[in-house]
Amino acid sequence: MDPPGPGDQGEASQPQPQPLEWRFAQVFGERAAGEDVQEVDIISAIEFDKSGDHLATGDKGGRVVLFERTDARDSASRRELERQDVPITRHPEFRYKTEFQSHEPEFDYLKSLEIEEKINKIKWCHTANNALSILSTNDKTIKYWKVQDKKVKRVTVMNLDTSQSVGSSAAASASTSSSKTPLPNGGCSDKFSCLNTDLSFPPGGYPSLHLPVVASLEANPVARCRRVFAHAHDYHINSISNNSDGETFISADDLRINLWNLEINSQSFNIVDVKPTNMEDLTEVITCAEFHPTHCNTLAYSSSKGSIRLIDLRQSALCDNHSKIFEEHEAPGSRSFFTEIIASISDIKFSRNGRHILSRDYMTLKLWDLNMDSGPVSTFQVHEHLRPKLCDLYENDSIFDKFECCLSGDGLRVATGSYGNIFRVFGCTPGSIEATTLEASRNPMRRQIANPTRPTRTLTSFTRGVRRGGENQGVDANGNSLDFSTKLLHLAWHPTENSIACAAANSLYMYYA
């Protein structure tokens, strides 16, 4: 049974968990100071599998890289130590497993449109027969990959020792200087004259002649594309999500959400369509979609207007009507040119027990309770210090950056990225003041800023949440402003442990607490 999430009954009376002390664990692809980063090497997607023993990353070059946990064999002893409340000092360790080219650049000749190979999303599927199954997508095409260890067989002994000549050199010379022209298959036009009667086999044969031997070498992971799901989206795919039934998944673009069966790539079902009859009437687009972790009939999708809609697939084939909508109404008089831009939700995630939804817009993180649609239960200020700079951010397009978010497996903490390759971790239990700032480097606490005092909780019906973290001015230890060209967009939380993997350009950093 999953532990109670934030907002559950009786949670407020329980003692607050201590703030986590984060430590550096590993880094893959670390670049040297001043080293240029190739655009194709920049990581664009990160995803743990359900067990947490495997991690997948995708990059702008269309490649998928897999990592596997090396200390997984000690999981039984780890569980025993956890049961006895013995602190575990050893951090989770991963190693490179394999990589493969998932997507190639394409060209849509009908629309004269170039399709990038960049991996937008990666999702793990249910495993079978010790094979890893992965869904990966670029802007237009989804691919279903199977990665399995296969023993490679190779012919290892197949040689004639040329250092010891067979027969006399005179005989070899005579045979090579034959006037007869050999046939392509090694024969001769005159079969009688081609026979060399001088060649005789010594007793015991030739010791330098070895018969071929087939040896089975160690198993190597081999990736095979099982199915390609294509030609179903007119607009760029922004998200894919597996269903808990293990058989279906959804893919979403700006205006539609399609339902697929993993075994059938020839057809999909359109379950959400927000495209208006006249495109001039378009005011809202889909930004992200995700299935409920345990209810196979429920999914949520977010929009560019800052709302999250919950739909039930049992209601109708085309889910035009939502069962619930979660949105926070803006305060009167606060509307500006940037209001709709910064309200657009870039990512949503269900908590592991399915009770809460975490959403990320440009300025904040919001935690929503599925049983309370009047407003978020908690709001975490991430970019409030950037509000005076919105004009500059609009000019350099940074205001359109899509930051991801994630929740811990126990539902007690949330995390998201920011500029300057930093990410922030918040405690989301009622009364928690945990707000940690970490940098994606070998010294994550280098930019640590003292936690701000927690403001009083608002009690209005629309802002029924905890607001904290807004006092962080986004400066480093020397008082320098953050570099908006370095941004931490992608991160993932281990499903069962306090371990975070995050991407800073082409480098994958891992931290544990």
Side-chain angles (χ1 to χ4, degrees):
M1 181 178 177
D2 289 316
D8 288 351
Q9 294 296 325
E11 186 74 25
S13 61
Q14 297 179 4
Q16 288 295 325
Q18 292 296 317
L20 296 178
E21 182 179 347
W22 291 93
R23 300 179 180 90
F24 170 79
Q26 287 175 281
V27 59
F28 296 94
E30 186 178 27
R31 65 184 187 275
E35 181 183 351
D36 292 334
V37 179
Q38 299 294 323
E39 182 77 12
V40 293
D41 295 332
I42 295 177
I43 297 174
S44 57
I46 301 179
E47 189 79 10
F48 280 103
D49 70 345
K50 283 191 175 182
S51 67
D53 292 338
H54 294 90
L55 175 68
T57 66
D59 62 25
K60 290 188 175 182
R63 291 163 298 191
V64 173
V65 183
L66 303 185
F67 301 88
E68 64 180 354
R69 189 164 178 172
T70 57
D71 60 334
R73 62 178 66 91
D74 302 329
S75 58
S77 59
R78 290 174 64 88
R79 284 195 297 268
E80 185 62 30
L81 291 174
E82 289 171 353
R83 194 177 295 113
Q84 298 174 6
D85 262 353
V86 177
I88 301 173
T89 56
R90 185 180 179 185
H91 63 80
E93 295 179 1
F94 285 79
R95 69 181 177 191
Y96 169 86
K97 181 178 177 69
T98 187
E99 68 179 86
F100 55 91
Q101 189 71 33
S102 174
H103 288 73
E104 299 279 359
E106 302 174 42
F107 191 81
D108 189 336
Y109 292 96
L110 293 177
K111 298 182 179 179
S112 296
L113 194 67
E114 189 174 346
I115 303 171
E116 291 183 339
E117 66 270 34
K118 171 193 167 189
I119 305 296
N120 290 342
K121 292 290 180 182
I122 294 176
K123 292 295 179 181
W124 291 89
C125 304
H126 290 284
T127 59
N129 301 325
N130 295 323
L132 303 175
S133 299
I134 297 174
L135 281 172
S136 62
T137 183
N138 64 353
D139 287 339
K140 295 291 185 180
T141 306
I142 307 162
K143 294 187 179 182
Y144 183 32
W145 292 90
K146 181 178 180 181
V147 182
Q148 192 169 21
D149 288 340
K150 291 195 174 182
K151 289 185 177 179
V152 179
K153 293 184 178 181
R154 186 177 299 171
V155 179
T156 57
V157 180
M158 189 184 64
N159 66 304
L160 182 65
D161 193 352
T162 56
S163 63
Q164 300 177 4
S165 59
V166 180
S168 64
S169 58
S173 160
S175 62
T176 55
S177 60
S178 173
S179 60
K180 297 294 183 180
T181 304
L183 296 177
N185 64 355
C188 184
S189 57
D190 188 350
K191 63 179 181 178
F192 296 106
S193 62
C194 283
L195 292 176
N196 191 344
T197 57
D198 297 335
L199 185 62
S200 61
F201 288 90
Y206 295 104
S208 60
L209 183 62
H210 304 283
L211 292 176
V213 176
V214 178
S216 181
L217 305 180
E218 63 179 9
N220 293 322
V222 177
R224 182 170 61 91
C225 184
R226 294 187 60 192
R227 284 174 192 86
V228 177
F229 305 89
H231 312 301
H233 288 277
D234 293 330
Y235 306 94
H236 289 179
I237 298 173
N238 54 49
S239 54
I240 53 177
S241 179
N242 299 93
N243 198 346
S244 58
D245 62 9
E247 297 179 356
T248 57
F249 71 94
I250 56 171
S251 58
D253 63 23
D254 292 341
L255 298 179
R256 294 186 176 96
I257 299 177
N258 292 333
L259 178 68
W260 301 84
N261 188 298
L262 283 169
E263 301 298 324
I264 303 171
N265 61 353
S266 58
Q267 64 177 353
S268 64
F269 298 96
N270 178 226
I271 55 176
V272 174
D273 190 347
V274 299
K275 184 178 180 179
T277 306
N278 185 358
M279 285 296 286
E280 292 182 358
D281 298 331
L282 181 66
T283 60
E284 189 175 21
V285 297
I286 299 169
T287 57
C288 188
E290 180 160 304
F291 261 118
H292 191 280
T294 55
H295 298 163
C296 62
N297 59 285
T298 303
L299 64 92
Y301 70 91
S302 59
S303 78
S304 57
K305 281 193 171 182
S307 61
I308 303 172
R309 290 174 173 83
L310 204 66
I311 61 175
D312 191 338
L313 298 179
R314 298 171 298 184
Q315 289 182 347
S316 63
L318 184 62
C319 302
D320 291 327
N321 299 318
H322 52 266
S323 56
K324 279 189 178 181
I325 183 170
F326 304 91
E327 57 185 352
E328 188 173 23
H329 298 274
E330 61 188 58
S334 62
R335 188 170 183 82
S336 70
F337 173 77
F338 305 107
T339 299
E340 282 198 15
I341 300 175
I342 62 177
S344 178
I345 295 176
S346 57
D347 191 26
I348 59 172
K349 292 286 194 312
F350 275 99
S351 62
R352 194 179 182 193
N353 59 10
R355 171 73 185 271
H356 296 86
I357 295 178
L358 181 68
S359 67
R360 172 70 154 99
D361 56 45
Y362 189 74
M363 304 297 285
T364 64
L365 268 178
K366 292 186 175 76
L367 189 68
W368 307 81
D369 190 326
L370 293 190
N371 297 330
M372 190 181 81
D373 54 6
S374 58
V377 294
S378 293
T379 301
F380 310 95
Q381 300 295 339
V382 181
H383 282 165
E384 187 62 30
H385 58 282
L386 298 180
R387 193 173 290 275
K389 303 177 182 178
L390 290 180
C391 286
D392 297 335
L393 294 167
Y394 179 78
E395 289 294 328
N396 60 23
D397 287 341
S398 294
I399 200 171
F400 301 106
D401 288 334
K402 300 183 185 304
F403 293 92
E404 294 180 0
C405 58
C406 58
L407 297 95
S408 60
D410 55 15
L412 301 181
R413 293 173 180 86
V414 296
T416 191
S418 182
Y419 295 105
N421 283 341
I422 67 171
F423 63 99
R424 307 204 65 195
V425 180
F426 299 95
C428 55
T429 55
S432 173
I433 60 172
E434 181 178 355
T436 308
T437 302
L438 303 152
E439 183 185 27
S441 67
R442 288 182 176 268
N443 181 14
M445 308 300 287
R446 186 169 68 175
R447 295 191 179 181
Q448 180 61 28
I449 300 171
N451 290 345
T453 56
R454 176 173 172 262
T456 56
R457 184 171 181 177
T458 58
L459 297 177
T460 60
S461 60
F462 296 127
T463 56
R464 192 179 299 165
V466 182
R467 298 183 179 271
R468 56 183 179 275
E471 291 78 2
N472 181 4
Q473 294 303 307
V475 295
D476 61 19
N478 300 320
N480 300 318
S481 57
L482 296 178
D483 180 9
F484 295 118
S485 64
T486 58
K487 59 197 77 170
L488 198 152
L489 301 176
H490 312 286
L491 76 171
W493 202 302
H494 192 281
T496 58
E497 300 176 8
N498 286 321
S499 176
I500 292 179
C502 56
N506 66 323
S507 303
L508 176 66
Y509 287 91
M510 305 192 71
Y511 303 93
Y512 73 102

